[in-house]
């Protein structure tokens, strides 16, 4: 099937359309319903009647946007009417929710006259925190937006105008920087004089361009003062009428620096691009086909052509989804009365700045691992980059406060944390750890230091003040890689081949000479990144260690176990995953180390997992799992977790509730714990789940992750004398940064400064017979 047939099936599939309304409060009991509706709903009604601003407290208004259209100018389709425009408006609602967690009602109005649109939309103000006008033809769209901005006290934003202006404005800021030109000196030519073109020209002036340097062309050629005086153009086009003789688009482009196309396909030739000044900027944004294709514009000249289009199959797509969700997010969250010019400029500048930063692996993967790096082919971020929310929304909110448009102030650190929580519990939890890490950064040695991902993670750790990274690897390789990927970074590097590392070989020999290691073998081993990093931590030259990105788990774990060992109060290390669901967090152990633990090991694993939960500001409630509930099956397998739970309950130093053995559903269901098993020590569902063996733990966390929709952070290694964490092969940069953050917090709280006993522990954990 073709795209059209696929799209029809997509929209037809039951339930039809793309959006639905979901409840956010319980509706399970008679009392729930009496609170949601009559008689309880009267209380918030009366509160709002007395204080209208309380609508933001008691209703969805503060997170609700109305997408309003009459379908008179639907992109690529023209005037198709209100009813036919509904799929587009529903789609707009999907983007608001997907990218900024904003709820939307789409409102299609069967009106053609501006005054009717104004009156109907104005009457919706009590319902919405903001209005997004969409697909309304020019020049009526100008009149409608201007009137609503004057007559309402909520943000009104015509995305067809301002969205294109802001995103292309961000691209222009970076294009000018790359080309080495000044905004105020640019000669800018527009092809197209509709709503988006006029709004973009106005916005470029706000960014620093000069209005007298802008030449605007419509289908009749350059808009001149003579044409304006003759009444050939409307009042909005007249704003950019040039004091010049009539000319064609081709003539206007000669000697220009920037071409901005918001018109029709295939009207710009390679010869017209060649007539522009050196290193021209070409924004050909007609959709679906641009004024000139990307390959044609690039091939037209020998120098650098910085090109942007409205298409996803070319670099530098000017996509409005980079703007409207995040601009409204920032505006709603400070209860702004408008979206003013300062807020738009702040959004463009935030986008431009973000394009200069290292791109997350998930974004690269979404674009087939393209080399997304600041330069002519990457001047604006990609729409799927989750950081856009954290950069643009706070910038817009701050601008609203500073310009006087906000009704509420905000703390930027707290606000970013709230935004991260909107994108998932895992981000909220990692914010707790990263904030702790930033309060007292520690030296973290990264064993596989010449790997590109490790270098990028080290840059981020340093740039964000999370840690002081130390890279183990070949210095020349590391520096070349950092330069190639555009990182302005002067990392600390420990090269295993340098003579200075002999002292670490001496220490390794001292530690392992009675384990069959000669001095020569120690010198050879210290050239391996894992052994060198382990000895650095053991000696105190680093506070924590990360490894495992390019090694299998047992191979990565063996050197730190041999060199650093377990903590004095822990005979065994254990691997813990934190799994985050929408409204729940659980810690799963042991998932990576101990194959068949006895009751003492299970008890120790439980204690370490509970300590880890504390570091995430989670009060642990531990359940030791089995296929039996509290003795319903009695054999050696069920006795182990039962005895471990009893051992922990009887330990006066254990300060968290723990019970078992119990089945997994018993552990996580409140009804079971407060009903059938009301005698259990857990009053609420467990959030630390300890599996009876490695096989169960590994299978269990992966099923929860893949089928339960949980996000997994880890594995986090517990029980070591000093902080060590082992990455998984294929981990992304964010995973490396997350584990390094955990390692820093471990180092902050670590009181064990001498290695523990290692011999038997190694054998149990890794199969190493020394």
């Amino acid at each position: 099937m073709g795209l059209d047939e696929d799209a029809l099936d997509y929209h037809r599939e039951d339930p039809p359309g793309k959006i639905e309304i979901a409840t956010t409060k319980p509706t399970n009991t008679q009392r729930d319903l009496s609170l949601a509706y009559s008689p309880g709903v009267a209380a918030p009604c009366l509160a709002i009647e007395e204080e209208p601003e309380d609508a933001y407290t008691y209703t969805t208004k503060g997170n609700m946007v109305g997408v309003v259209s009459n379908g008179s100018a639907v992109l690529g389709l023209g005037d198709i009417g209100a009813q036919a425009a509904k799929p587009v408006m529903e789609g707009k609602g999907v983007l608001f929710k997907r990218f900024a967690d904003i709820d939307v009602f789409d409102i299609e109005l069967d009106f053609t006259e501006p005054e009717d649109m104004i009156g109907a939309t104005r009457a919706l103000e009590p319902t919405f925190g903001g209005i997004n006008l969409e697909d309304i033809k020019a020049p009526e769209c100008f009149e409608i937006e201007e009137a609503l901005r004057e007559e309402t006290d909520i943000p009104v934003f015509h995305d067809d105008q301002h969205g294109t202006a802001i995103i292309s404005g961000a691209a222009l800021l970076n294009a000018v920087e790359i080309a080495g030109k000044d905004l105020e000196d640019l000669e800018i030519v527009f092809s197209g004089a509709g709503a988006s073109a006029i709004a973009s020209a106005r916005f470029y002036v706000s960014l620093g361009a000069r209005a007298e340097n802008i030449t605007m062309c419509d289908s009749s050629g350059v808009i001149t003062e003579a044409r304006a005086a003759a009444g050939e153009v409307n009042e909005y086009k007249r704003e950019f009428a040039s004091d010049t003789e009539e000319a064609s688009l081709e003539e206007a482009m000669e000697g220009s620096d920037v071409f901005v196309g918001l018109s029709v396909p295939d009207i710009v030739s390679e010869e017209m691009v060649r007539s522009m000044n050196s290193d021209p900027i070409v924004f050909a944004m007609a959709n679906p086909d641009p004024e000139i294709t990307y390959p044609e514009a690039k091939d037209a000249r020998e120098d650098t052509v910085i090109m942007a289009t409205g298409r996803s199959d070319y670099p530098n797509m000017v996509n409005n989804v980079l703007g409207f969700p995040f601009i409204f997010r920032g505006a709603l969250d400070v209860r702004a009365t408008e979206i003013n010019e300062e807020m738009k400029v702040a959004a463009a500048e935030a986008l431009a700045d973000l394009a200069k930063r290292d791109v997350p692996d998930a974004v690269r993967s979404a674009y087939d691992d393209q080399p997304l790096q600041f330069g002519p082919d990457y001047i604006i971020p990609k729409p799927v980059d989750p950081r856009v929310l954290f950069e643009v929304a706070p910038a817009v909110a701050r601008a609203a406060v500073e310009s006087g448009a906000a009704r509420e102030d905000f703390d930027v650190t707290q606000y970013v944390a709230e935004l991260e929580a909107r994108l998932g519990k895992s981000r909220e939890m990692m914010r707790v750890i990263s904030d702790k890490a930033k309060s007292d950064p520690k030296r973290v040695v990264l064993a596989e230091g010449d790997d590109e991902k490790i270098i990028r993670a080290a840059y981020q750790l340093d740039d964000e003040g999370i840690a002081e990274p130390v890279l183990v690897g070949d210095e020349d390789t590391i520096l070349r890689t950092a330069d190639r990927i555009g990182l302005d970074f002067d990392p600390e590097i420990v090269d295993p081949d340098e003579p200075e590392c002999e002292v670490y070989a001496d220490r390794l020999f001292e530690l392992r000479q009675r384990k069959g290691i000669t001095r020569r073998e120690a010198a050879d081993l210290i050239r391996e990144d894992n052994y060198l990093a382990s000895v650095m931590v053991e000696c105190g030259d680093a506070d924590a260690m990360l490894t495992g990105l390019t090694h299998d788990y047992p191979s990565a774990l063996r050197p730190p176990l041999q060199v650093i060992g377990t903590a004095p109060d822990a005979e065994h290390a254990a691997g813990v995953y934190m799994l985050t669901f929408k409204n729940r967090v659980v810690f799963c152990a042991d998932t990576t180390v101990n194959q068949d633990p006895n009751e003492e090991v299970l008890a120790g694993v439980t204690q370490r997992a509970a300590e880890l939960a504390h570091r995430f500001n989670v009060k642990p409630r531990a359940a030791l799992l089995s296929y039996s509930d509290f003795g319903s099956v009695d054999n050696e397998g069920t006795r182990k977790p039962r005895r471990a739970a009893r051992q922990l309950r009887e330990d006066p130093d254990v300060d968290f509730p723990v019970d078992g053995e119990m089945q997994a559903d018993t552990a996580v269901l409140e009804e079971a714990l407060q009903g059938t098993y009301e005698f259990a020590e857990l009053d609420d569902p467990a959030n630390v789940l300890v599996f009876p063996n490695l096989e169960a733990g590994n299978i269990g966390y992966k099923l929860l992750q893949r089928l339960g929709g949980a996000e997994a952070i880890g594995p986090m290694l517990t029980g070591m004398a000093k902080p060590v964490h082992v990455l998984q092969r294929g981990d992304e940069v964010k995973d490396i940064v997350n584990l390094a953050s955990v390692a820093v917090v471990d180092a902050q709280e670590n009181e064990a400064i001498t290695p523990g006993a290692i011999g038997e522990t190694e054998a149990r954990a890794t199969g190493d017979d020394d």
Side-chain angles (χ1 to χ4, degrees), residues 76-92:
L77 301 175
D79 186 353
I80 60 174
Q83 187 73 76
K86 185 171 176 61
V88 178
M89 305 312 132
E90 286 187 356
K92 196 81 171 189

Side-chain angles (χ1 to χ4, degrees), residues 228-301:
E232 296 180 18
V233 297
N234 62 47
E235 60 180 297
Y236 301 103
K237 293 183 181 182
R238 193 177 302 132
E239 182 178 343
F240 289 99
S242 299
D243 184 13
T244 185
E245 295 183 1
E246 292 189 15
S248 65
L249 173 63
E250 182 176 5
E251 293 168 323
M253 285 182 65
E254 186 174 352
S256 65
D257 298 289
V258 180
F259 168 77
V260 182
L262 291 158
S263 53
V264 294
D266 303 323
I267 61 168
V268 174
S269 67
E270 291 187 36
E271 183 60 37
M272 292 163 73
V273 174
R274 281 192 285 271
S275 74
M276 298 175 71
N277 284 337
S278 63
D279 298 324
I281 299 166
V282 178
F283 292 171
M285 298 181 286
N287 255 332
D289 298 310
E291 288 81 359
I292 181 172
T293 68
Y294 181 87
E296 289 171 340
K298 285 289 201 178
D299 292 344
R301 309 175 57 117

